[in-house]
Amino acid sequence: MFVLITSIVMPWLIWITTVSLGIVYNEYTDNNKTKLYLPLTPFDNALRTIGPFLPLAPLAMRALGETFAALEQRKIKGSTRRKTHIVSSVIFFGGVQTVRLGVYLLLVKVVFPKSKGTVYPFSDHIFLGLAVSACAQFEAVRSLASFTEIKRQRRSITTVAIVLWALAACCALALATLCALDAHYTARYFHAPFDSAFAMVAGAALFHVPLLVSLPN
């Protein structure tokens, strides 16, 4: 329950709140797109350029923690090998980004082929943020699950592994939160309300429903 509330429920409450406020207090006009400098502009730029790769940071931390944990367990007689779920993370990340790119190309090439630039009734930036957030939350779930599993089974694991798992979870949740906060400004200043709402529903259905299905038992 702790993992579910921390990694799934809380980030989604933040997402719903920030985007809803952006829609309610919408100030979108065609003239303000290039004139605004907002508090999260540096993160916004990073999300646009390397967004799909950002969840790899907490994944790397967790993988390093799993390595230290495996080395420690080898010293214990009769210990069973733990599942690290590193491969499942890579598969989930790849699947999410493949779907995101597929939807984007579908919009640009098929549904709205004559639109100029990215002018179509859909916020691709919020959609991107939801994809990155889903990957980050997946990592938060796995990192916290590793920690709680060790605690429940009362296994002796090096402190380094525990610290790395904690850092991975914090990093992943911070990333998901930043994506949600950034989406507020996107919904408020850069898209019409329908665009943001449409992206939220699509992102929830395509990225976060699979996230819920993939939760460890």
Side-chain angles (χ1 to χ4, degrees):
M1 183 61 69
F2 170 76
V3 174
L4 177 65
I5 293 175
T6 305
S7 303
I8 304 298
V9 176
M10 288 179 61
W12 251 100
L13 287 176
I14 296 173
W15 263 101
I16 293 171
T17 301
T18 55
V19 175
S20 296
L21 288 174
I23 291 174
V24 170
Y25 296 101
N26 185 267
E27 300 179 39
Y28 169 72
T29 64
D30 290 332
N31 298 323
N32 66 2
K33 287 189 175 183
T34 58
K35 297 179 181 179
L36 291 174
Y37 186 87
L38 301 169
L40 290 179
T41 295
F43 175 77
D44 182 85
N45 293 333
L47 185 62
R48 291 176 184 276
T49 53
I50 59 171
F53 301 100
L54 292 176
L56 294 178
L59 172 59
M61 294 180 194
R62 183 169 68 85
L64 189 57
E66 295 290 355
T67 301
F68 278 102
L71 292 174
E72 184 70 18
Q73 280 194 298
R74 287 181 182 178
K75 302 176 183 178
I76 304 173
K77 292 183 178 180
S79 62
T80 57
R81 186 176 180 181
R82 295 179 58 254
K83 293 182 179 180
T84 62
H85 302 287
I86 300 299
V87 174
S88 63
S89 290
V90 174
I91 293 174
F92 184 82
F93 288 10
V96 164
Q97 298 307 329
T98 299
V99 170
R100 182 186 66 82
L101 287 173
V103 171
Y104 177 77
L105 292 174
L106 180 66
L107 287 172
V108 174
K109 300 296 184 181
V110 180
V111 182
F112 303 105
K114 296 181 180 180
S115 296
K116 296 180 180 179
T118 56
V119 182
Y120 42 79
F122 184 80
S123 174
D124 56 341
H125 194 63
I126 290 179
F127 196 62
L128 168 63
L130 284 164
V132 173
S133 181
C135 294
Q137 289 172 250
F138 186 93
E139 265 314 295
V141 167
R142 290 301 179 187
S143 298
L144 291 173
S146 293
F147 177 79
T148 54
E149 177 191 352
I150 294 300
K151 185 177 180 181
R152 183 177 64 252
Q153 297 178 357
R154 297 181 179 179
R155 293 184 178 182
S156 175
I157 294 295
T158 175
T159 304
V160 177
I162 295 175
V163 170
L164 285 168
W165 289 334
L167 286 174
C170 291
C171 179
L173 291 174
L175 177 57
T177 301
L178 284 171
C179 288
L181 294 174
D182 183 63
H184 166 78
Y185 295 107
T186 302
R188 183 167 182 172
Y189 297 109
F190 297 98
H191 283 281
F194 176 82
D195 304 4
S196 302
F198 185 17
M200 276 289 289
V201 173
L206 294 174
F207 307 138
H208 290 262
V209 169
L211 172 63
L212 290 174
V213 173
S214 67
L215 289 177
N217 296 325

